[in-house]
Amino acid sequence: KLKQVQHLAQLIKPAIDSVLKDKTQPVLADLGAGKSYLGFILYDLYFGPAGRGRVAAVETRPELVATAKKIAAESGFERMEFIESRIADAALGAVDIVTALHACDTATDEAILFALRHEAKYVALVPCCQAELARELESAHGSLEQLWRHPIQRREFGAQLTNVLRGLFLEAHGYKVRVTELTGLEHSLKNEFIFAERHQRSNPRARAEFDKLVKEIGAAPKVLASALP
């Protein structure tokens, strides 16, 4: 886990450097933070030495929030805050960077909508346990259904489709998206890294591709689909 988080910190560093250059007090929101490993490392490596900027960790489990607060206080991480909340209910004001490391299933979709609500310039996601579309595909039929006929293939295809649609959704909202490997598969099978930087307000071509793919397959992440006009 430590190796994954350290490598992810390096991948996020250019975004942090950018917002530290452009803003006096940039804000990074770490969603579905868990034990806040990522937030602690990002603060220790970048925000702490910079002497400015804030890291806000959002997590639903009160015991993890309490433990993280204690660690931050003992470490002197004064510009970290820990919020006990669902991602969908969290409101932080202006946010520059959104991260979500292994936010399970639809929590990654909630992180994407959070980024849009808070007009984040950068979004860094490592999805996990994409099970929603695999369930939808059980009743989806058409010319491509051989791609997901067997349960093991349905699970893998559903995960792949979920992340493809997430990328298109971000592009439809004006982000430039890059998808790459987080770290070696020996460290984690949940290894896809989606990085997005906003360049414009919308992209009609990407929206059309999103709609086309959803129509052809017959399944879509409900959280994202419901957010589209």
Side-chain angles (χ1 to χ4, degrees), residues 54-102:
R54 183 163 58 94
V55 173
V58 177
E59 171 57 46
T60 58
R61 289 165 288 185
E63 67 277 11
L64 297 185
V65 173
T67 299
K69 285 181 177 179
K70 183 174 183 293
I71 293 171
E74 292 172 349
S75 303
F77 293 174
E78 297 177 352
R79 286 173 286 106
M80 286 192 77
E81 63 178 302
F82 303 89
I83 300 160
E84 183 186 332
S85 173
R86 294 174 61 248
I87 295 171
D89 298 330
L92 274 68
V95 170
D96 301 287
I97 303 173
V98 166
T99 62
L101 172 59
H102 293 162

Side-chain angles (χ1 to χ4, degrees), residues 99-153:
T99 62
L101 172 59
H102 293 162
C104 195
D105 200 12
T106 58
T108 297
D109 301 320
E110 296 287 1
I112 291 172
L113 295 190
F114 176 98
L116 293 177
R117 288 197 308 273
H118 293 78
E119 299 192 342
K121 183 175 182 180
Y122 297 98
V123 185
L125 308 169
V126 181
C128 182
C129 304
Q130 304 96 313
E132 180 191 16
L133 289 199
R135 293 189 295 270
E136 289 188 33
L137 288 169
E138 288 186 47
S139 57
H141 302 288
S143 61
L144 299 177
E145 65 181 292
Q146 292 302 316
L147 291 172
W148 60 83
R149 179 163 63 95
H150 299 287
I152 186 171
Q153 294 169 333

Side-chain angles (χ1 to χ4, degrees), residues 16-45:
I16 296 175
D17 289 342
S18 174
V19 297
L20 283 170
K21 179 181 177 182
D22 293 341
K23 292 199 170 184
T24 304
Q25 293 295 340
V27 177
L28 181 146
D30 183 28
L31 307 179
K35 295 181 179 179
S36 294
Y37 294 140
L38 178 60
F40 284 129
I41 285 182
L42 293 176
Y43 188 95
D44 192 39
L45 291 178

